[in-house]
Each structure stands twice: as C-alpha cells, then as structure tokens.
Amino acid sequence: MEFWELSFVNYFRDISAVFVFLFLAAAGFSDDGSVSVATYPSIHDAVKANPGRMLYVPSGEYRIDEKIRFDADHSGLYGPGRIVQTNPESPIIEIEHAENVVLRDITLTRPEGKMETDVEGILAADCRELRIENVRILDNRTRSAALSLRDCDGARIENCLVRNYMKIAVDDRTAGPNYGYAFRCIDGTGISVRACTGTVIRGNRVIEKNLLPTPEIKEKYGLGIFVKKNAEKGKIIAQKTWDEEYVNNWHQGSAIIVTSPEKSDRTQILDNTIENAAQGIDLHCDHVILSGNIVDNAFIGMKAMHGSRNILILGNQFIRNDLWSIGLMPGAPSRAAGFEDNPNANVDGGSVIANNIVSDFGYGNAHWIWGDDGVPFKFDTGQLPHNPPLSDVVVSGNILYDPGREAGRKDVPPRYRYAVVVPQGPDGPRNLRFSNNIFPPGRSGISNAEFDSN
C-alpha cells in the first residue's frame, strides 16, 4: 500500500473514533462505554435508572441534598467529579445489602457552614466484596465516622484520603454502669470498621488539620468539663475525677478503629499514614496484621484491647506520641469462657510486637496535657475484676529513639518515665517475652518491672 493510501486510511480511522466518542457522549456514556451521570437530572436519577451498573461522574461539582443510595450488586460510581452534600442530616453515600459495589476516584465533601454533622460521609452495611478506592472524603466533620463499614465481608478501603473529620461534641457515658458522666470533647473517627471480616485497609491517608488539642481550643469550648452526671459513680472512674467533674481525655476518636471484638476478624491495616489524630489505630478485634503504618502526632499511637487476640504489630513508625505509642490491655468486655454463663472466651494476647520504631516520644501537640509521664510501650491490667490478664506477647526488635539521648544532650531528659510499663500482681500481664529491643531508659529506668531486654 502506498504511503498516501495508508495515511488516508488512518485519517478515516481517527475521524471514525472521534464520531464514536461524540455519539457515546451524546447518548450518556463515558469514553469507556459506561453511563455518565451528567446526562440525567441528578445523580440519584442516574442510580435509579441504572441498577447494577457503574456510573461515571465527570469533572465538575454535583450538589445533592439527600443521600445517594446503592442496594444493587455490581453498582457504583467512579470519575473525577466532586459531590457536595448540602444536607448535614444526611450521609453522602449509603450502601446496603449489596455485593461488588465500587466507589473509585470521586471526591465527597460538604460546603462551608454545613461541614459539621452527626452522620457519615460513606456508610456501608451488610455488604460483600465492597471496594472503595482513591476516594477523597473532605470536611465530613462528625462524631460518627467519615467512612463507616458495618457487618461487611471482604471489603477493601485503599488509597483514600480522609481529611478534617473531627468536631466539638459531648461524649455521653451516662447509660451504662461503668462511667456515669458526660463531658465536652473533640471527637470523630476517620475510618470505622464494625463487626466486619476480611477487611483490608491499605495505603490511606487520614489527616486532621482543623481541630488540634491546643490550650486555646480547650478553653474556648470548655473541653473535659462534665455536662451531666449520674447519681452514682461509675465502676471504673476514679473518685478524684468524679469529684472534680473533669477528665483530661477530652481528645476522643480514632483515625482508624476496628471494633466489635467478638465479630470483627481477619483485618489487614497496611501502609496507612495518620496525622494529628487522638488515637491513631484502635483495635478491638482478632487476627490482625498491622504493618507499615506511619502514625504521627497522635497522643496514642495504637492500642489493642477489649478482647483483641492474635495481633501482629510489625514494622510501623510511631512519631510524636504523648501518652503511649503501643498499648495492649484487657478491656471491660474481656472475659474467660463461662463468665456469666457465656461459653465463649474473649481474651487479649497471643500477639507479636516486632521491628517498630518509636521516635520523638512526648513531642506531640498533646504533651502539655499528659506531661512527661507517658509510656512508649504499655502493657496493662484489665478495667474490671473479671477481665482475664493479657498474656503471651512477644516484643522483639523494636527501637525507641529519644532525640535528646541520641544527640548527646544530657540537659534534655526523656519525656517518659519508663520505656516500658508492666503492672505486677495476679491481674498483671503474663508470659511477656522481650528480646533484641533498644529501649533507652526513661527518667526512672527502662521498666517498672524486671524483664530480659537483651
């Protein structure tokens, strides 16, 4: 074929491709053949007209005043569009009773003046094989969670950004017998997973820039002050706290929480970045791999309690934590088999803490609240007398890096009393094995108890 003939063929092929693209766009399809929401009066209309299909959200802003709801298998949204929920009473997206729903690449947010809410940005319940990928949830400031999964199996939350998810709230603990008071606080959770199995939380960024625990914020909102109090003191509250009607744990919430300790199982929390949280990662679940995460400037780096069993805490970076970086302890729901005629045990332990680095401990925003008595590695007793002790934990190859010591600054004491705290007595942790760690002494030594630090 002559050159001019080849060029002529290529020309018509390219022109044909352009016409096909224009035809698809006019018919309501994106360039890959899926349906575009832009050809419908609203995203809600597009979802209703196309059950079980992926819908393309082109560039631009799409304002809504009711939630977008998915309940059909194989449905979802993707694309560069920005969805703005103007109704603070409603979630942005709700997914229920569906399989293989996908949300990808979209931005979800709320407008100025309506960012504070009591509901979620994304709420998914009773879903299977849900995928939420590269989604941005911005300024959904709620006591609930910016992204919440409940009773899901095989969900994946990957490469998402959750930014500015906290609000001023009241933490009401008057309903049960353990506390008996309510107080003003900063509260909010980035990613919440409740009663789920086989969840993967990977490569996400959970960042708070709006509400930080400063003295000015505490004074402005009266944080920590009781606003309600029962007639009788709760079981696990100190008498001093009850009398003073003030708590210092007014910075509440977690960047990532996996809870429902007797249901949540087989969770992977990998390679996430967390900045300026209250609690970085909060675990109440079994069979977890927590690896490759960076938790910067949270007063608690991570904790596992309330019946958290078989937790692998491997190769994480904990930076500028103030109360503790890694904490394992039983909680109120922890119990032995047979307690109150329940045949199932809910115990804490059988875990490994290895190859983590804790650095700049005590240099976070909350140091002024907790002072120099924080503990980088904390192993504690239970909250109630019936809680079985924490047991069978390997602690190996971890590094505590104190900036004053490493710089040779004897005039800069460490901002922790002990590197490790292990309470003694019959209720204290059992069978903890320490090896090959680098734990510089705190102001009172390496640990309050004897252990083989190698």
Side-chain angles (χ1 to χ4, degrees):
M1 184 179 291
E2 298 290 339
F3 174 76
W4 68 270
E5 293 175 304
L6 185 61
S7 297
F8 191 72
V9 171
N10 289 339
Y11 171 78
F12 273 97
R13 184 186 63 194
D14 294 341
I15 288 294
S16 298
V18 170
F19 276 111
V20 169
F21 172 78
L22 293 175
F23 172 78
L24 291 173
F29 293 88
S30 72
D31 55 359
D32 65 358
S34 59
V35 177
S36 171
V37 301
T39 59
Y40 288 83
S42 71
I43 294 179
H44 305 84
D45 291 322
V47 172
K48 290 176 184 177
N50 297 276
R53 297 193 68 169
M54 287 293 295
L55 302 176
Y56 178 68
V57 185
S59 295
E61 184 171 283
Y62 301 82
R63 292 200 161 222
I64 61 174
D65 60 7
E66 59 180 293
K67 64 190 176 187
I68 300 167
R69 190 171 189 278
F70 293 98
D71 58 6
D73 297 349
H74 306 287
S75 56
L77 297 176
Y78 77 102
R82 180 183 179 92
I83 299 173
V84 182
Q85 174 60 276
T86 61
N87 181 2
E89 308 273 325
S90 177
I92 304 174
I93 294 178
E94 183 178 271
I95 310 163
E96 284 192 305
H97 317 305
E99 293 188 10
N100 294 297
V101 174
V102 177
L103 301 177
R104 189 174 73 239
D105 301 331
I106 56 175
T107 297
L108 309 176
T109 189
R110 298 179 185 269
E112 192 71 40
K114 296 184 178 180
M115 294 174 178
E116 290 201 359
T117 176
D118 290 324
V119 294
E120 299 82 2
I122 298 174
L123 171 60
D126 188 29
C127 295
R128 303 294 174 267
E129 304 302 329
L130 171 69
R131 286 191 292 142
I132 302 174
E133 302 172 353
N134 197 36
V135 171
R136 290 163 294 283
I137 308 174
L138 313 177
D139 295 307
N140 192 92
R141 304 174 184 177
T142 178
R143 273 205 68 201
S144 181
L147 197 168
S148 179
L149 306 186
R150 302 174 189 170
D151 299 291
C152 295
D153 181 61
R156 303 180 73 90
I157 305 169
E158 298 182 289
N159 302 318
C160 295
L161 169 63
V162 177
R163 188 175 70 207
N164 293 343
Y165 54 91
M166 307 193 85
K167 66 177 289 188
I168 301 298
V170 171
D171 190 334
D172 192 336
R173 303 184 179 188
T174 57
N178 292 331
Y179 295 96
Y181 61 91
F183 61 100
R184 297 188 189 280
C185 63
I186 298 173
D187 204 355
T189 293
I191 298 172
S192 173
V193 175
R194 182 182 296 273
C196 296
T197 55
T199 309
V200 175
I201 307 170
R202 183 198 299 268
N204 305 286
R205 292 186 298 144
V206 185
I207 299 171
E208 177 64 34
K209 296 287 189 181
N210 180 56
L211 281 175
L212 302 179
T214 64
E216 294 77 16
I217 290 290
K218 175 183 179 294
E219 184 68 24
K220 180 178 179 179
Y221 295 105
L223 301 177
I225 297 173
F226 284 14
V227 296
K228 194 191 305 185
K229 187 176 178 181
N230 290 347
E232 294 185 10
K233 183 179 78 69
K235 293 180 181 179
I236 61 176
I237 177 177
Q239 187 66 49
K240 182 175 183 291
T241 300
W242 185 256
D243 294 340
E244 292 179 354
E245 300 188 354
Y246 170 81
V247 292
N248 57 5
N249 62 330
W250 46 259
H251 193 197
Q252 290 286 312
S254 305
I256 298 173
I257 182 171
V258 182
T259 187
S260 298
E262 296 180 69
K263 294 183 179 180
S264 287
D265 199 9
R266 296 180 288 109
T267 306
Q268 298 178 65
I269 304 174
L270 311 172
D271 305 331
N272 302 282
T273 298
I274 293 167
E275 297 178 23
N276 306 329
Q279 301 175 102
I281 300 170
D282 193 4
L283 302 178
H284 318 153
C285 48
D286 295 338
H287 304 112
V288 179
I289 300 175
L290 180 70
S291 180
N293 302 283
I294 298 174
V295 181
D296 184 9
N297 197 18
F299 81 85
I300 292 175
M302 68 80 55
K303 76 174 192 283
M305 63 184 302
H306 297 309
S308 291
R309 180 170 58 91
N310 306 136
I311 313 296
L312 288 172
I313 305 165
L314 309 174
N316 302 281
Q317 293 271 359
F318 296 97
I319 309 165
R320 293 191 299 162
N321 308 140
D322 293 303
L323 187 58
W324 69 73
S325 289
I326 298 176
L328 273 62
M329 61 215 68
S334 303
R335 64 171 185 273
F339 179 75
E340 294 184 344
D341 296 325
N342 192 315
N344 299 316
N346 182 39
V347 299
D348 299 80
S351 298
V352 175
I353 302 171
N355 302 336
N356 302 281
I357 298 177
V358 174
S359 59
D360 300 329
F361 187 87
Y363 286 85
N365 283 346
H367 174 258
W368 70 275
I369 302 171
W370 304 105
D372 291 343
D373 290 330
V375 180
F377 293 83
K378 183 178 179 67
F379 305 89
D380 213 344
T381 55
Q383 293 178 312
L384 296 174
H386 71 260
N387 296 147
L390 172 72
S391 62
D392 304 325
V393 179
V394 172
V395 184
S396 179
N398 302 282
I399 294 177
L400 172 58
Y401 190 90
D402 180 61
R405 176 180 179 272
E406 298 304 326
R409 293 282 306 276
K410 294 183 179 180
D411 59 325
V412 181
R415 291 187 171 187
Y416 52 90
R417 186 175 178 187
Y418 295 106
V420 179
V421 164
V422 183
Q424 303 299 287
D427 297 328
R430 301 174 182 175
N431 199 25
L432 306 187
R433 303 293 178 87
F434 293 80
S435 65
N436 301 317
N437 301 287
I438 298 177
F439 288 160
R443 299 188 318 281
S444 299
I446 294 177
S447 174
N448 66 319
E450 292 293 328
F451 66 87
D452 180 12
S453 64
N454 286 338

